[in-house]
Amino acid sequence: MVGTVWLVALFSLFSAAYSAKYECQGVAQYGLTFYGMWSNMTHPNAFPFTPKIGRFSPLVGASLRSDPLWMSGMPASQGVKNVAETGNSAVLEQEIMQRIMSAKTAWKQIKSGNMTISGTESVMNIEVEVTKDFPYVSLVTMLAPSPDWFTGIMKVSLCNASSGMWMDSWTIDDIQPWDAGTDDGATFDAANTATTPPGYITQITRNAPPTNFMYLAASAIPTLGKMMFVRQNKPTMNQCSGMYYYTVKFEAKWSQATHPNGFPSGAHFSPLVIATHSYKYKMWSDMTRASPGVKEVAEIGAEGTLYSEVMMMKKPGFVSNVYKTGAVSTPGGYTSTKIMVQNMYSMVSLITMIAPSPDWFVGVDSYDLCGMNGWKETVTMDLLPWDAGTENGLTYSLDNAATMPVDVIMRITPNSNSEIGAHANITFATVTFTRGEMITATTTARTTTTVRATTTVRATTTERTTTTDSSARGLSADLFAILSVSLLAIFGVLY
């Protein structure tokens, strides 16, 4: 009976692993190639010769958060209507820009250029960029000449949600014709009138609505083309063996002298949250939206939600461990702790609030401690300020109005009109990663004697020194991680 229960539990665990859905992290660039496959040979009686030979208008689209540019069963927007009827994309491009700038529901516009595409022409190297928050692509191109017929992609995700990995390549090889529902006409060259009232977008088949495509001999309409996405910026992964301790030392540099504009009373950095992880995980990254945990750190310095978020990523094997330190006074304060890295968990991320501030922080985004020649000995980084995109405010202050709609994380630059802007390129803090001893059975047995970290803390204008157990807390969790390496390796293979 016990054995049966154990097997059921194990089966449930693996079933959950296979059915889980994960977000792809960071930003990914793709090159899109469009292959036209529309001709009188492929579509006899469904390819126009007069008044002009069949062609596609320039492809136009965007990377999106969710809602596509067009959808079956829905009315066409004015921009999609114009593309479907005339091939003119000016209004659609305006609609996309409004979604990018105001509604924050689109990320980047996609366009193949300004030239029409012959029925069998190929267009290569169309730039496509997707992010964690905007993983979908939607595209449209007119079938010209025609009343209001078009083809394209309604919505496709370039993120493999079962693994949380951006796809290396993705091919869409069945591209069908659609009717925008805005213009009457059953043939390519018919004199058309506006559909009143406008109808809905529907797929053109051999049976309905009445079009030239109904005269095809084939039982189904052959594809009008093919689209292939190929990733351009796939990260290079180094391979390092063994497990090592690294000492992480964070030193505050922010002061009245370095950043004189509005330097606040009680200036400090909130407790650091540090994670060691694989390339499948991102704590935060440029041009992506902050998670609830990152938002809380950046706005109020509270690390609890982020700590829970990182811990949740241990189950699928994306994260090895998470560490916390005490707050750090500035200038001159510092904190240090030990972390553990190993083969597939060679990356480190950290974050701490610039306090007080609206939603400003410093941190490290997915730095790989494994180099081309093995584990790196010592690395020192100058940390500059970032804006989490979640709260308004131009001064070192708390309790500001929320940013609506939420923006993406961005580096604060000298062009910023905030108090921080004029000196945004001057270091706020430094962090140094120093490689320690290799982890073996002997070093594991000695973890109880780990040197405790001393942290200088100033949460108000009064300075005080406290001793924290940041190393001991992190290392006790490391013991569990070491014992779980085999199980995590299994999950690494699964994903």
Side-chain angles (χ1 to χ4, degrees), residues 12-96:
S12 300
L13 176 64
F14 278 88
S15 297
Y18 277 112
S19 61
K21 302 295 182 183
Y22 301 105
E23 292 181 329
C24 292
Q25 302 297 311
V27 179
Q29 282 88 30
Y30 286 83
L32 167 62
T33 299
F34 173 74
Y35 302 91
M37 301 170 67
W38 183 34
S39 69
N40 194 51
M41 290 184 63
T42 58
H43 299 75
N45 303 315
F47 182 77
F49 287 97
T50 59
K52 291 184 178 181
I53 194 167
R55 65 199 185 280
F56 302 96
S57 67
L59 273 78
V60 178
S63 47
L64 306 163
R65 183 167 182 82
S66 179
D67 295 336
L69 299 178
W70 59 275
M71 184 182 295
S72 178
M74 298 295 290
S77 70
Q78 185 63 46
V80 171
K81 173 181 181 292
N82 287 5
V83 170
E85 291 183 3
T86 69
N88 189 318
S89 63
V91 174
L92 180 57
E93 291 179 47
Q94 292 174 7
E95 291 174 357
I96 292 171

Side-chain angles (χ1 to χ4, degrees), residues 92-109:
L92 180 57
E93 291 179 47
Q94 292 174 7
E95 291 174 357
I96 292 171
M97 188 56 62
Q98 192 277 332
R99 292 183 63 169
I100 292 172
M101 301 301 295
S102 300
K104 308 293 185 184
T105 58
W107 177 244
K108 288 285 181 72
Q109 179 179 288

Side-chain angles (χ1 to χ4, degrees), residues 79 119 303 481:
E303 74 277 10

Side-chain angles (χ1 to χ4, degrees), residues 419-456:
E419 286 183 337
I420 207 171
H423 303 94
N425 284 344
I426 298 176
T427 301
F428 268 70
T430 62
V431 62
T432 301
F433 301 94
T434 304
R435 196 181 79 184
E437 60 188 332
M438 185 175 184
I439 300 173
T440 63
T442 302
T443 55
T444 302
R446 295 203 312 264
T447 54
T448 55
T449 62
T450 302
V451 178
R452 295 154 67 91
T454 301
T455 306
T456 305

Side-chain angles (χ1 to χ4, degrees), residues 114-327:
N114 296 313
M115 303 296 292
T116 59
I117 305 165
S118 72
T120 55
E121 185 180 355
S122 297
V123 181
M124 304 177 68
N125 300 320
I126 304 169
E127 295 182 358
V128 177
E129 183 174 280
V130 288
T131 78
K132 177 190 76 171
D133 308 294
F134 304 92
Y136 295 99
V137 172
S138 185
L139 292 164
V140 61
T141 174
M142 177 191 185
L143 299 178
S146 73
D148 59 347
W149 305 339
F150 70 95
T151 189
I153 300 173
M154 192 183 309
K155 185 174 79 169
V156 64
S157 176
L158 295 175
C159 173
N160 184 341
S162 64
S163 65
M165 298 290 293
W166 293 110
M167 297 180 184
D168 290 338
S169 63
W170 184 252
T171 300
I172 301 169
D173 53 15
D174 186 17
I175 299 175
Q176 292 294 305
W178 293 80
D179 188 311
T182 60
D183 209 343
D184 293 332
T187 62
F188 290 111
D189 56 354
N192 307 300
T193 58
T195 302
T196 305
Y200 299 110
I201 295 172
T202 56
Q203 184 174 344
I204 297 172
T205 68
R206 288 189 67 249
N207 303 315
T211 68
N212 293 84
F213 291 97
M214 66 189 301
Y215 301 114
L216 287 168
S219 58
I221 298 175
T223 182
L224 295 166
K226 181 169 69 173
M227 296 190 190
M228 180 180 292
F229 298 84
V230 178
R231 191 172 179 189
Q232 304 295 301
N233 66 332
K234 186 177 179 181
T236 301
M237 301 305 301
N238 298 314
Q239 297 291 327
C240 292
S241 60
M243 300 181 188
Y244 279 87
Y245 286 127
Y246 273 82
T247 297
V248 182
K249 185 176 183 180
F250 178 92
E251 298 179 87
K253 304 295 183 183
W254 173 37
S255 70
Q256 178 74 49
T258 60
H259 300 80
N261 289 358
F263 184 77
S265 173
H268 65 284
F269 293 96
S270 68
L272 277 71
V273 178
I274 308 169
T276 52
H277 55 89
S278 74
Y279 64 94
K280 296 181 180 179
Y281 172 76
K282 288 270 189 179
M283 178 185 287
W284 64 272
S285 61
D286 189 17
M287 297 298 168
T288 63
R289 291 187 177 184
S291 69
V294 168
K295 175 181 183 292
E296 283 194 6
V297 170
E299 290 183 2
I300 60 175
E303 74 277 10
T305 300
L306 179 58
Y307 187 88
S308 297
E309 288 177 357
V310 180
M311 288 296 290
M312 286 180 63
M313 290 295 101
K314 292 184 69 172
K315 183 176 180 180
F318 293 179
V319 169
S320 174
N321 216 340
V322 58
Y323 309 81
K324 294 190 290 185
T325 74

